[in-house]
Amino acid sequence: MIQNGAVPGEQVKKDENSRRGNWGNQIEFVLTSVGYAVGLGNVWRFPYLCYRNGGGAFMFPYFIMLVFCGIPLFFLELSFGQFTSLGCLGVWKVSPMFKGVGYGMMVVSTYIGIYYNVVICIAFYYFFTSMTNLLPWTYCNNPWNTPDCSGVVGTHQANATFANITAVMSGVTEVVNRTKRTSPSEEYWRNYVLNISDGIGNFGEVRLPILGCLAVSWVVVFLCLIRGVKSSGKVVYFTATFPYVVLTILFIRGITLEGAISGIKYYLTPQWQKILDAKVWGDAASQIFYSLGCAWGGLITMASYNKFHNNCFRDSIIISVTNCATSVYAGFVIFSILGFMAHHLGVDVSQVADHGPGLAFVAYPEALTLLPISPLWSLLFFFIFTTFCLLETLVTAIVDEIGTDWIIRNKTIITLGVAILGFLLGVPLTTQAGIYWLLLMDNYAASFSLVIISCIMCICIMYIYGHRNYFKDVEMMLGFPPPIFFRICWRFISPLIITFILIFTVIQYKPITYNDYVYPNWSLVIGFCMALSSVICIPIYALFKIATSEGATFLERLKHSVKPDASWGPALQEHRKGRYATGGPESVEVRPLKEELKEKEPEKEKEPEKEKKDDISLTIQGSNGSTLNPTPSA
């Protein structure tokens, strides 16, 4: 017998939700989420924020934010997306008035995706330039080097001409008499790779090698997502695990260098006077949201491809702890190298390199020159950076929102279109002023807005939809209610901490700088506009929804706009139980298997005899609790 295309006893469909698809297995989801963390957020952003905020002074608020905001909100987003099997727009059926939060997440993901991929394209550039016998940032005898340059490897003797040796020696003589010395890796980064201009308004020329690498990075991201989570889930087996191998090798080499201890001391020793600086706490909060991916929409999107009863609580603990442990581990690697560089250059650790994103492209390349077969390790190191979750967030939101069969069948075309648009928007960041714009976007577009969006999400779910309703939803999905610590954090602690940080950050606001460069006021206005562009989606959509909702008065329309949509709840009919039992369209995604099919067939045969059996009670109770009819009577 065949029912709904399924043959009894034969498993036809692998996915629980065949229309949207599921992860191939749970390991792929965990590795993808870990890969969401193990990237530039760990080896680039976390170390430079530590460096900027006084080393150990940053660690204290970082762990406070992790425990009371990061992990609870990570679990909230995973459970939110998994419960409904929808992306960052569709989940707001829980309270349609707050759908603007989903649009805000899309705007944030767009900003971050644009500049994040530019940083990745620079990693690709370093990857390609590492295909040589000698890394170009090893010595100070290059056209882009200045008299301030002081290498850590020594004079290049194999192919250097007498003129080069003379230039190097004269450079060293000048360095001795200078108080500020720079490493060849820093000068390679600033003077050659970026060829940085004198200000954010001076775009200069497009750096064609960087532009080409930007195209390559978007092509790689597109290919990783060409089949959605089915293809990205396979890629992460390598991309999420290999970085640990490279980091471990660099860590072992780093701690054996002279002066490494001073760098690690700077990393771990708090400058307590900075603890009272709201900027430090704000940076800690934004880094937690940045590295964990909270408020980007990516967590909701990835969790939406989980099976309904997956233990996302366990996943959230594993992924969050792994994420932040990786950040701390990467910090040990980079600060051991900074300590060595400070020892060699004769300066304090805080003065070794730029405080910006270039830190990763200064300290790590410097360490790579100290390894045997350094070009090989450089190739491997710069190959580990890629990200595709941001693109998947946007694509999934578009596909779920439109939801037509054509869109679902042609998801690859949508993915390609988003990738092309992302590439075009990233072109200005490949100019000589690109680094200034990248920092502006990082400090504004991916800072304040992330914490505001998370705070409003907590308020909506806990107080508009209702904490009791959501706790029951989680219990129905996982088989147990959320632990009391998470319930308290969701309702009180996380929103309060975020609110206080926002208030004090505004009170103690300081304009951003890039080393000695002070951003002009007009650029700061653009930065605030980028930050507000994601947050403003929330009130604008709320007003639109209230205006278009049913009701004669404002209060009636408001009440109707915050009421959950009729289709809110689990995506598949088989999971819609309790108060969801009669709601939502009937699903045909996954049909009953062998046991249920066997039960339904005899039930149809028994219906004509039901009244007779009730009268004469000629039934036999089986050992498994089933009711058997001994001999059919005429």
Side-chain angles (χ1 to χ4, degrees):
M1 177 182 176
I2 299 177
Q3 182 171 336
N4 296 318
V7 179
E10 181 180 345
Q11 187 173 356
V12 177
K13 294 180 180 179
K14 184 178 180 181
D15 290 338
E16 183 179 75
N17 190 328
S18 60
R19 192 166 190 261
R20 290 182 88 249
N22 294 110
W23 294 102
N25 57 64
Q26 211 48 39
I27 295 177
E28 292 181 3
F29 167 69
V30 172
L31 287 178
T32 301
S33 301
V34 170
Y36 208 26
V38 181
L40 292 173
N42 300 91
V43 302
W44 159 55
R45 202 173 189 271
F46 178 81
Y48 103 69
L49 286 177
C50 280
Y51 196 51
R52 185 173 77 183
N53 291 303
F58 183 75
M59 303 284 279
F60 179 74
Y62 179 79
F63 284 114
I64 294 292
M65 295 302 302
L66 170 65
V67 173
F68 293 103
C69 290
I71 297 177
L73 292 176
F74 194 91
F75 178 35
L76 179 65
E77 290 199 30
L78 288 191
S79 59
F80 198 24
Q82 182 174 304
F83 184 75
T84 57
S85 298
L86 292 171
C88 64
L89 288 181
V91 291
W92 294 102
K93 291 178 180 179
V94 67
S95 184
M97 190 182 84
F98 286 87
K99 191 174 183 179
V101 176
Y103 285 110
M105 289 178 171
M106 289 184 65
V107 173
V108 170
S109 286
T110 301
Y111 283 134
I112 297 176
I114 291 169
Y115 80 77
Y116 200 104
N117 247 34
V118 171
V119 180
I120 289 172
C121 88
I122 296 174
F124 271 113
Y125 179 78
Y126 272 78
F127 172 79
F128 291 127
T129 55
S130 298
M131 297 178 181
T132 178
N133 293 328
L134 179 68
L135 294 176
W137 57 85
T138 305
Y139 300 103
C140 291
N141 57 347
N142 301 289
W144 58 82
N145 290 125
T146 69
D148 295 332
C149 182
S150 177
V152 297
V153 175
T155 306
H156 179 33
Q157 297 176 349
N159 299 315
T161 63
F162 178 77
N164 282 336
I165 294 175
T166 304
V168 172
M169 294 307 295
S170 62
V172 169
T173 302
E174 286 191 49
V175 165
V176 172
N177 298 319
R178 291 175 182 263
T179 56
K180 172 65 175 174
R181 289 180 281 177
T182 55
S183 64
S185 61
E186 182 174 0
E187 294 199 349
Y188 179 77
W189 158 253
R190 287 178 60 86
N191 302 337
Y192 185 74
V193 177
L194 300 179
N195 193 13
I196 189 170
S197 67
D198 57 2
I200 190 170
N202 182 11
F203 283 90
E205 61 182 11
V206 172
R207 302 285 293 141
L208 293 179
I210 304 297
L211 181 64
C213 290
L214 181 64
V216 171
S217 66
W218 277 108
V219 169
V220 170
V221 171
F222 169 71
L223 292 177
C224 288
L225 286 175
I226 197 167
R227 291 183 58 240
V229 296
K230 294 301 182 187
S231 54
S232 65
K234 302 299 181 290
V235 174
V236 294
Y237 281 105
F238 175 78
T239 60
T241 56
F242 183 70
Y244 289 103
V245 177
V246 179
L247 284 176
T248 300
I249 292 168
L250 291 176
F251 174 70
I252 294 171
R253 183 66 181 112
I255 60 175
T256 60
L257 296 172
E258 190 175 5
I261 298 300
S262 63
I264 293 174
K265 267 187 180 178
Y266 182 87
Y267 178 48
L268 298 178
T269 304
Q271 298 178 19
W272 293 112
Q273 69 275 16
K274 292 199 173 186
I275 292 290
L276 300 178
D277 188 348
K279 176 65 175 173
V280 176
W281 288 83
D283 281 348
S286 66
Q287 174 59 18
I288 286 293
F289 290 112
Y290 189 98
S291 62
L292 288 179
C294 298
W296 294 15
L299 296 179
I300 293 175
T301 299
M302 290 189 294
S304 71
Y305 293 104
N306 280 335
K307 294 182 179 179
F308 184 74
H309 292 297
N310 171 63
N311 189 346
C312 58
F313 170 69
R314 172 202 61 203
D315 294 343
S316 65
I317 300 296
I318 293 173
I319 297 166
S320 299
V321 172
T322 302
N323 179 316
C324 296
T326 304
S327 292
V328 174
Y329 186 39
F332 276 101
V333 176
I334 206 165
F335 277 90
S336 64
I337 299 163
L338 290 174
F340 166 71
M341 293 170 67
H343 175 79
H344 175 79
L345 297 173
V347 297
D348 188 75
V349 175
S350 62
Q351 299 175 350
V352 171
D354 291 346
H355 287 194
L359 182 64
F361 294 104
V362 172
Y364 284 115
E366 195 78 16
L368 293 168
T369 62
L370 304 173
L371 294 173
I373 325 176
S374 55
L376 172 63
W377 292 112
S378 184
L379 280 170
L380 296 176
F381 176 74
F382 289 109
F383 185 70
I384 67 178
F385 301 122
T386 188
T387 182
F388 38 78
C389 295
L390 294 170
L391 181 59
E392 180 66 19
T393 298
L394 300 177
V395 172
T396 298
I398 294 170
V399 171
D400 284 346
E401 183 67 10
I402 299 174
T404 63
D405 290 338
W406 185 90
I407 284 288
I408 293 171
R409 286 196 307 268
N410 296 277
K411 186 177 177 181
T412 302
I413 297 176
I414 305 299
T415 305
L416 178 62
V418 173
I420 292 173
L421 182 61
F423 166 74
L424 295 176
L425 292 174
V427 170
L429 299 184
T430 64
T431 63
Q432 290 176 268
I435 188 66
Y436 298 115
W437 288 100
L438 192 151
L439 272 175
L440 188 73
M441 296 177 73
D442 181 57
N443 276 270
Y444 289 93
S447 182
F448 300 106
S449 51
L450 290 177
V451 292
I452 292 173
I453 288 172
S454 289
C455 186
I456 294 176
M457 182 177 67
C458 277
I459 292 171
C460 171
I461 297 175
M462 293 296 110
Y463 296 100
I464 306 300
Y465 176 60
H467 63 277
R468 290 188 179 87
N469 289 332
Y470 194 73
F471 297 162
K472 289 177 182 177
D473 291 343
V474 173
E475 185 173 7
M476 182 175 78
M477 180 172 63
L478 302 183
F480 57 88
I484 189 169
F485 172 77
F486 289 87
R487 285 180 272 171
I488 293 173
C489 285
W490 289 346
R491 294 183 62 194
F492 307 112
I493 298 177
S494 297
L496 283 175
I497 289 178
I498 292 171
T499 302
F500 279 121
I501 287 176
L502 285 173
I503 292 172
F504 285 107
T505 300
V506 171
I507 293 173
Q508 298 184 9
Y509 170 74
K510 297 176 185 176
I512 65 167
T513 60
Y514 179 51
N515 295 327
D516 297 328
Y517 178 75
V518 178
Y519 279 73
N521 291 332
W522 62 265
S523 66
L524 300 179
V525 172
I526 294 176
F528 278 113
C529 289
M530 286 191 291
L532 291 175
S533 62
S534 56
V535 178
I536 201 68
C537 295
I538 301 171
I540 289 177
Y541 188 86
L543 292 173
F544 166 77
K545 189 63 182 178
I546 292 172
T548 56
S549 294
E550 298 176 1
T553 66
F554 176 81
L555 287 178
E556 288 179 358
R557 290 195 296 271
L558 177 63
K559 185 177 180 181
H560 192 271
S561 65
V562 298
K563 183 181 178 182
D565 189 87
S567 60
W568 159 254
L572 302 181
Q573 188 65 26
E574 63 189 88
H575 298 140
R576 299 181 74 92
K577 300 176 183 178
R579 66 180 185 277
Y580 298 107
T582 57
E586 185 163 339
S587 172
V588 295
E589 300 296 328
V590 178
R591 303 313 308 168
L593 296 177
K594 187 174 180 181
E595 294 78 14
E596 296 181 15
L597 291 169
K598 282 185 175 180
E599 288 177 5
K600 290 197 173 193
E601 190 172 352
E603 280 176 6
K604 290 181 181 178
E605 296 175 358
K606 293 176 190 176
E607 281 179 1
E609 299 180 27
K610 183 177 180 182
E611 292 182 4
K612 186 182 293 184
K613 284 196 266 184
D614 289 341
D615 291 338
I616 62 177
S617 301
L618 289 176
T619 59
I620 299 175
Q621 191 73 18
S623 60
N624 62 354
S626 60
T627 302
L628 304 176
N629 188 14
T631 307
S633 57

